[in-house]
Amino acid sequence: MVEQSTDWSRADAASIAAGVAEGRVRARSVIEATLARIGRVDPAVNAFTDVTAARALAAADAVDARRAAGAASGPLAGVPFAVKNLIDCAGLPTRAGSTINRERAPAARDGALVRRLEAAGAVLVGALNMGEYAYDFTGENVHDGDSRNPHGAGHMTGGSSGGSGAAIAAGLVPLTLGSDTNGSIRVPSAFCGCFGLKPTYGRLTRAGSFPFVNSLDHLGPMARSVTDLALAYDAMQGPDPDDAAATARAAEPVLPGLDSGLGDLRIAVAGGYFARGGDPEAFAAVQVAARALAATRVVEIPEAARARAAAYLITAAEGAALHLDRLRTRPEDFDPAVRDRLIAGAMLPAPFVERAQRFRRWYRGAVTDLFADVDVILAPSTPCRAPPRGQTHFTLDGVSLPVRANIGVFTQPISFIGLPVAAVPVWLDGGLPLGVQVIAAPWREDVALRVARVLERLGIVRAPIAELT
């Protein structure tokens, strides 16, 4: 084989898979280049907590051997990927961003989504930094150090999937997995300028991952292109009896219809709650996308502020219940900011949480009704660009607010009822990126990704690799 001189360490997933399938590059060469880039660039980014080099090279050799034997290469053949370190990787303790968990025995088996990606030919190269126990919006971690935004090292990556976003933006891998409970895929996608997909609740199995809030947790991909999101998403779909929340629906591939355009899709912009409480740039990014899509209709998502408050109650209560034994026996080993919020959650009166759950049922029905008249709703992902690392307060609409608690102001009302969202990055000027949520009805990831793909083809949204080295 005569390999092309492409810099495969910076290539997107679709290009790598095509190159391997067509014999233009060996999977091993891609992985060697990827590992070299991680070694060279990651010290400035701190995206990885574990690099599985020996495993990755062995897996790449297996991909090459299958191709040499004439077997199908797989839709993600030779594509390097990494996962948030709350997803099980055989041989590694599943840290979940904590110091306590790293004392656990190494995982005996990969998480379900890791297995599905590898079945499609992808190659795991490591585990990624994250906020402790996923209770974080900033990307800061007191145990492993902060992940650093490749587009501005002094700024937050967003969290809790901060390492997942940073690894994409730095060009370390073309594909990562994150988790999203209240916004933890969409916030890093906005701050780091990459694409993310939070699927419908229950669409992708969470088996083999460390939980945070079972009734809100999602897993999903992050990438530098919409096509790469679709490739990964399709490879990971399917029922799984090991996750009680996983849907029994058969896989519904999105890649075949990804480039079918807008057609007669009805697109609206979220008004009211989603048009205030943020910096002007956050709303300008939404308007840029709306103009490109000729979307002039405005809809108001009812009771979004109350939905956010209810999401907070349920998050605090379920998160505290999960960690109660650790809080009792090892409180000093938590990040104090995480520990204190979990303790507060443990003290919430049960009637408050019950009322939040009752409201949740009503809210789900009210928002679902909106999709009788529209197919997609556009909203900001975050209220601002990435703040400086270490900043504890910011000013929104003239009010000083805690950063950690308020970055998810626009994401929480959406994940609260499990709607699918394609997170897309918008660059308004020479500064840091902003994000837009492309929100669709339950189980219509295909619609959200089609709209994201149109914006990408128009050049409205893009995910460049930061020029670090």
Side-chain angles (χ1 to χ4, degrees):
M1 176 189 295
V2 178
E3 296 187 355
Q4 294 184 348
S5 59
T6 303
D7 182 0
W8 294 102
S9 72
R10 295 165 59 97
D12 59 58
S15 298
I16 291 169
V20 171
E22 295 163 7
R24 291 183 282 115
V25 66
R26 292 177 302 151
R28 184 179 182 93
S29 297
V30 173
I31 299 305
E32 287 176 340
T34 297
L35 293 172
R37 182 169 176 81
I38 292 169
R40 187 172 66 252
V41 174
D42 190 56
V45 178
N46 198 32
F48 279 81
T49 53
D50 305 271
V51 178
T52 55
R55 169 181 170 156
L57 291 169
D61 288 342
V63 171
D64 290 333
R66 287 195 297 272
R67 184 186 179 278
S73 299
L76 290 168
V79 173
F81 76 101
V83 302
K84 188 174 184 176
N85 70 28
L86 57 63
I87 299 172
D88 290 349
C89 300
L92 298 178
T94 304
R95 301 186 188 208
S98 71
T99 191
I100 298 172
N101 273 35
R102 71 193 64 196
E103 299 172 8
R104 303 172 77 197
R109 188 187 191 201
D110 292 327
L113 295 188
V114 174
R115 299 196 305 271
R116 291 181 179 185
L117 288 174
E118 289 200 324
V123 176
L124 179 72
V125 298
L128 298 163
N129 204 351
M130 60 175 285
E132 184 179 73
Y133 289 126
Y135 209 168
D136 166 62
F137 274 135
T138 67
E140 296 166 320
N141 186 292
V142 300
H143 312 298
D144 294 307
D146 303 346
S147 51
R148 294 185 281 278
N149 194 321
H151 296 293
H155 292 263
M156 297 174 182
T157 57
S160 61
S161 307
S164 301
I168 295 294
L172 302 180
V173 286
L175 179 65
T176 63
L177 293 185
S179 71
D180 191 309
T181 301
N182 286 300
S184 290
I185 287 174
R186 291 161 289 160
V187 168
S189 293
F191 284 0
C192 293
C194 61
F195 294 93
L197 176 65
K198 187 203 76 63
T200 306
Y201 179 79
R203 171 65 91 171
L204 296 183
T205 175
R206 304 164 303 176
S209 64
F210 194 87
F212 174 28
V213 180
N214 185 59
S215 69
L216 294 172
D217 289 344
H218 309 64
L219 300 183
M222 300 170 72
R224 286 196 300 274
S225 77
V226 179
T227 298
D228 286 0
L229 283 184
L231 278 166
Y233 172 67
D234 283 355
M236 294 187 290
Q237 286 191 59
D240 186 354
D242 291 334
D243 180 359
T247 181
R249 296 168 70 107
E252 299 172 277
V254 300
L255 191 63
L258 189 64
D259 282 314
S260 55
L262 297 180
D264 58 358
L265 290 179
R266 301 161 299 173
I267 303 172
V269 175
Y273 173 90
F274 292 92
R276 59 178 182 267
D279 289 345
E281 293 89 346
F283 308 118
V286 175
Q287 290 305 317
V288 166
R291 286 194 294 271
L293 299 169
T296 57
R297 182 174 178 182
V298 176
V299 298
E300 185 157 349
I301 296 176
E303 298 285 6
R306 187 173 296 178
R308 181 177 177 239
Y312 256 118
L313 285 171
I314 293 168
T315 297
E318 285 194 34
L322 175 68
H323 292 287
L324 199 55
D325 286 344
R326 282 176 284 272
L327 288 168
R328 286 170 173 157
T329 59
R330 301 187 61 174
E332 71 283 357
D333 290 325
F334 282 83
D335 175 345
V338 172
R339 179 196 60 215
D340 292 351
R341 283 182 292 163
L342 290 171
I343 291 173
M347 295 188 291
L348 282 172
F352 285 20
V353 181
E354 182 183 354
R355 184 177 179 183
Q357 293 286 18
R358 288 201 306 270
F359 169 78
R360 187 182 191 181
R361 290 191 289 274
W362 175 87
Y363 179 69
R364 181 182 291 111
V367 177
T368 300
D369 287 347
L370 291 177
F371 289 102
D373 297 317
V374 300
D375 299 295
V376 165
I377 300 173
L378 305 178
S381 294
T382 59
C384 59
R385 291 182 165 102
R389 287 190 293 119
Q391 181 172 318
T392 60
H393 286 73
F394 52 12
T395 300
L396 301 176
D397 270 1
V399 180
S400 178
L401 297 166
V403 170
R404 276 181 181 260
N406 289 283
I407 290 176
V409 63
F410 298 132
T411 53
Q412 287 178 285
I414 306 305
S415 45
F416 182 53
I417 51 172
L419 297 178
V421 183
V424 300
V426 176
W427 300 76
L428 295 182
D429 50 36
L432 294 168
L434 293 146
V436 172
Q437 298 183 83
V438 181
I439 306 162
W443 315 112
R444 295 314 306 264
E445 288 83 356
D446 61 321
V447 169
L449 288 169
R450 273 173 59 193
V451 172
R453 178 67 176 132
V454 168
L455 289 169
E456 184 182 37
R457 290 171 65 184
L458 291 171
I460 304 301
V461 300
R462 59 189 179 90
I465 295 175
E467 294 303 324
L468 297 170
T469 183

